[in-house]
Amino acid sequence: AWLSHGCEVPCAHHYTYDDWFYLFKGPLDEITCINSDGSITNVVVTGGSALRSVFRQNEGAMKGNHPSPQTERWALNLGATIEEAEMFSSIHSPPEIWDFALGLMNKAGFLQFQPWIARDVELLLKTFPLPLQQEYDAIHVRRG
């Protein structure tokens, strides 16, 4: 599975790679479909600059909810410790809010590489003089 926690690719029997790519290039809309196990999934296909634009458009709303019990609960649901949830709720800067949220998603295993990419990244990292005896929360990889 390419997604976290062994989940199947959502809506795999309804959408092909080309369908997903077409949705990615279009407007930012939520689609709903039924998975092979009968569960209903809502999916938003986005990435890169389109996602960045949405974040920037919603900066005011992001700042308005900090601090609050809702932001703490959201962080806890994502796997934050109580201390991390309290810290997350106290942040007011949108870039820092998103950095922290992405850090929590990485920690939770929400975003994962496809298996062959993970293998290649692991091999590449072994070529650098990094202290690999310790655990890292995230590694930033750029294409190009």
Side-chain angles (χ1 to χ4, degrees):
W2 296 354
L3 304 178
S4 63
H5 307 294
C7 298
E8 293 181 15
V9 173
C11 315
H13 64 288
H14 288 293
Y15 293 96
T16 66
Y17 176 84
D18 290 335
D19 295 329
W20 289 119
F21 189 75
Y22 176 78
L23 290 167
F24 165 74
K25 292 292 187 182
L28 190 65
D29 290 328
E30 183 176 12
I31 61 165
T32 301
C33 59
I34 299 173
N35 294 308
S36 57
D37 66 359
S39 62
I40 297 173
T41 300
N42 295 329
V43 179
V44 175
V45 183
T46 187
S49 61
L51 190 57
R52 194 173 305 115
S53 294
V54 171
F55 292 159
R56 287 188 178 135
Q57 291 169 4
N58 292 290
E59 280 184 353
M62 290 186 330
K63 287 192 289 190
N65 291 333
H66 286 253
S68 74
Q70 293 87 353
T71 55
E72 283 187 34
R73 192 167 40 256
W74 184 87
L76 289 169
N77 287 342
L78 197 54
T81 64
I82 291 171
E83 294 81 12
E84 289 169 335
E86 289 171 353
M87 185 181 300
F88 177 71
S89 182
S90 70
I91 298 171
H92 295 281
S93 165
E96 290 178 21
I97 291 169
W98 284 115
D99 282 348
F100 204 107
L102 289 171
L104 289 174
M105 284 189 258
N106 285 334
K107 177 182 165 189
F110 186 75
L111 305 171
Q112 293 185 0
F113 288 123
Q114 296 172 1
W116 56 90
I117 296 173
R119 179 201 63 218
D120 292 347
V121 169
E122 181 180 5
L123 291 172
L124 177 65
L125 288 176
K126 287 180 179 179
T127 67
F128 294 100
L130 296 172
L132 297 176
Q133 303 80 2
Q134 60 194 36
E135 189 174 307
Y136 291 88
D137 290 328
I139 297 173
H140 183 94
V141 178
R142 295 190 66 98
R143 294 177 291 175

